[in-house]
Amino acid sequence: MKKRVLALLMTGIMAASLAACGETAAAPAADASADAAATEAAPAADASADTAADTAADTAAATTPEGGIRLVNGKIEVDSMLKEAAAKYEEETGVPVVIESMGGGVNIQDTLKGYYQADNMPDIFVCGSDDDFGNWDGMLVDMSGEKWASDTDAAYVSKDYGTIGFPYTTEAIGLAYNADILEKAGVDPKSITGPESMKKAFETIDSKKDELGLTAVIGWYTEPKDLYWSTGSHSFANYLDAGLKRDDTTYSDQLAEGKIDENRFKDYAEMIALFNQYTDPNGVSGTYDNQVQGFASGKYAFVTQGSWIGASMTDQYKDDYAAAGNFKCGMIPYAFEEGIDTILTNSPSWWAVFDNDNKDASLAFLQWLSEDEGQEILVMKAGFVSPFKSCTFVAEDPFAQTISDYTAAGKTSAWHWLKNKAGLDQNALGQLYTDYALGVIPDADGFTKAISSKVSEYYAN
């Protein structure tokens, strides 16, 4: 019976596209499009239950301690911090928690399938996409009734199974800015509430570009081969969700039918025209590294990347960032319509609880992690940005404070771009953003019509 169940699980994502494998190594995993997010979970076409069992046999798996629980973590860089949290929890409760961290190219979902076959399932494990959760249909605990579930907007909620994903950190997509430059230019970021005020801010900064030492007002990069995910997923995501409540899927639902709202999209296209006008000309051919380093170096007042670049600014580009004064960072909404007041936030992955005899102990541990003692370790030591509204800790990351502020204020929208048809960004939208930047597509009307036509064509196939 078990082999039959596992075989069914493994065939559930056979159709996942591998189209996004060409993404640049510099881009973080969370930057991938929906098809790339599914790639990690996709087994080879000839996978079987026996293959999964071999995977388990080849992996030095941990085991669940007697009277305790085991958590499989997918961020190996925070292994020591999670083990510190586990040790503190055991000290307080007497319940041992084993942290098993996986990284370095390990296919976590295939390994978990092997554990299932070998009767060695962890009690808590990481899932990073719809496909990952789909591997475990009916096998996960609904955590809707947990105290932490009412303290966050970032949980993974399944329409069939309820709240099945615990969010441990938050990432954000917004229009990132250099607060020091804006202050010197006399531009209050809070004053940018719509297209007219955004245009005025850009014009003001551009008029002072030389005295501010800027290369351009904004680092908007549209190179189609390696940055399609940035334009065709993350920028496009704002058309889908900016300004909407987290459960509002109006434009995502339209997209699934091969349609866009042309009135809303034209407003968005006018904002992109502003970006095209005031960006670094090298943006049509430059790399992700060029874009992030340019912002870290103080060359741009704004940049079109998400909060994940904070880690690069304080590590890979720390010398450039220091030379630029370690300036304060912030984010504003992509306010292409007056009154849009949300940034887009999401957990890059979640922890699910396996429905077994240890589920109560697992739920207790997750609740503890969501509270002060757990959050102090996860935020202040692991550097996570808390997804919990009640959390008062703020990580030492350039974007942590602004994300925490938006989260606490309830001013966030969701990441429904994760549900886009596989390859939409790479195979359909990315090149159109480049054409618009180059002037091949001359105006917002033309860009709107081109996107509408391409979306219709792509979803019809």
Side-chain angles (χ1 to χ4, degrees):
M1 176 64 177
K2 186 179 295 179
K3 284 194 174 185
R4 185 177 71 84
V5 172
L6 185 62
L8 288 172
L9 287 170
M10 296 187 71
T11 58
I13 55 172
M14 291 292 187
S17 169
L18 301 178
C21 289
E23 185 178 333
T24 57
D31 296 350
S33 59
D35 51 311
T39 299
E40 177 181 298
D46 62 352
S48 65
D50 291 335
T51 302
D54 290 342
T55 302
D58 293 339
T59 303
T63 56
T64 302
E66 184 175 353
I69 59 174
R70 173 166 141 245
L71 183 153
V72 165
N73 159 52
K75 284 186 171 290
I76 200 164
E77 65 272 19
V78 296
D79 175 74
S80 63
M81 298 80 158
L82 292 180
K83 286 176 177 174
E84 180 179 343
K88 187 173 183 63
Y89 184 73
E90 182 175 4
E91 179 183 331
E92 292 186 8
T93 66
V95 177
V97 179
V98 169
I99 302 297
E100 181 182 359
S101 296
M102 298 183 186
V106 174
N107 188 315
I108 296 175
Q109 288 295 308
D110 275 0
T111 302
L112 289 169
K113 292 166 188 174
Y115 287 172
Y116 179 86
Q117 177 66 12
D119 276 329
N120 189 30
M121 278 298 287
D123 303 294
I124 304 170
F125 56 87
V126 65
C127 286
S129 67
D130 291 351
D131 287 324
D132 287 1
F133 282 103
N135 289 341
W136 311 101
D137 277 353
M139 300 183 183
L140 304 178
V141 175
D142 179 1
M143 298 181 277
S144 302
E146 294 301 296
K147 183 179 177 182
W148 64 259
S150 61
D151 192 30
T152 183
D153 293 323
Y156 184 94
V157 180
S158 162
K159 66 178 182 179
D160 295 321
Y161 301 109
T163 300
I164 55 176
F166 174 92
Y168 54 85
T169 189
T170 302
E171 291 181 344
I173 298 171
L175 185 55
Y177 63 83
N178 178 325
D180 291 0
I181 286 178
L182 265 61
E183 183 178 0
K184 290 176 183 177
V187 173
D188 181 356
K190 293 181 180 179
S191 71
I192 303 174
T193 60
E196 290 304 314
S197 52
M198 186 182 292
K199 180 180 179 183
K200 181 180 178 181
F202 276 43
E203 290 173 345
T204 298
I205 295 168
D206 188 62
S207 70
K208 302 176 180 181
K209 188 170 62 175
D210 291 341
E211 64 184 88
L212 293 170
L214 297 177
T215 299
V217 174
I218 185 170
W220 161 239
Y221 278 48
T222 52
E223 190 280 324
K225 182 176 179 291
D226 293 321
L227 281 169
Y228 60 84
W229 50 268
S230 180
T231 54
S233 282
H234 295 162
S235 177
F236 186 74
N238 285 278
Y239 155 71
L240 294 176
D241 279 302
L244 304 186
K245 293 182 178 179
R246 294 192 68 87
D247 61 354
D248 190 337
T249 59
T250 299
Y251 303 107
S252 181
D253 290 345
Q254 284 185 359
L255 188 71
E257 297 174 357
K259 302 173 185 177
I260 63 169
D261 182 306
E262 294 196 0
N263 291 327
R264 177 177 166 90
F265 193 88
K266 185 180 176 184
D267 290 339
Y268 165 81
E270 295 284 6
M271 180 187 69
I272 299 302
L274 188 72
F275 293 177
N276 288 338
Q277 180 179 354
Y278 288 103
T279 191
D280 185 339
N282 291 327
V284 293
S285 59
T287 65
Y288 173 82
D289 285 338
N290 298 151
Q291 186 182 22
V292 178
Q293 186 173 18
F295 181 70
S297 302
K299 294 180 180 179
Y300 310 133
F302 298 93
V303 70
T304 55
Q305 283 294 343
S307 62
W308 48 84
I309 69 171
S312 297
M313 292 170 65
T314 55
D315 184 11
Q316 187 177 1
Y317 303 118
K318 63 181 179 182
D319 292 340
D320 299 289
Y321 188 39
N326 290 320
F327 53 85
K328 183 179 178 182
C329 295
M331 278 187 179
I332 58 172
Y334 280 85
F336 56 87
E337 292 178 343
E338 188 63 45
I340 287 178
D341 61 354
T342 64
I343 61 173
L344 279 53
T345 65
N346 211 64
S347 182
S349 57
W350 300 262
W351 290 334
V353 173
F354 194 60
D355 193 354
N356 63 12
D357 292 341
N358 288 337
K359 64 183 179 182
D360 289 339
S362 297
L363 293 174
F365 179 59
L366 292 182
Q367 181 59 42
W368 182 86
L369 285 176
S370 76
E371 296 171 354
D372 283 352
E373 289 182 292
Q375 287 294 287
E376 184 174 11
I377 296 173
L378 294 186
V379 174
M380 302 310 294
K381 296 189 176 182
F384 289 161
V385 176
S386 178
F388 300 105
K389 297 174 186 177
S390 62
C391 180
T392 58
F393 300 105
V394 179
E396 294 181 2
D397 176 275
F399 295 100
Q401 185 65 61
T402 194
I403 298 173
S404 296
D405 290 346
Y406 275 102
T407 299
K411 295 293 185 180
T412 68
S413 299
W415 283 13
H416 289 114
W417 63 271
L418 291 169
K419 298 182 182 297
N420 292 358
K421 186 174 180 180
L424 177 67
D425 54 357
Q426 182 178 25
N427 301 326
L429 302 185
Q431 184 62 51
L432 294 181
Y433 278 89
T434 305
D435 291 345
Y436 193 24
L438 289 170
V440 175
I441 298 174
D443 54 27
D445 280 329
F447 187 52
T448 300
K449 287 181 172 58
I451 292 287
S452 179
S453 176
K454 184 60 72 172
V455 163
S456 177
E457 173 189 333
Y458 198 77
Y459 275 85
N461 295 327

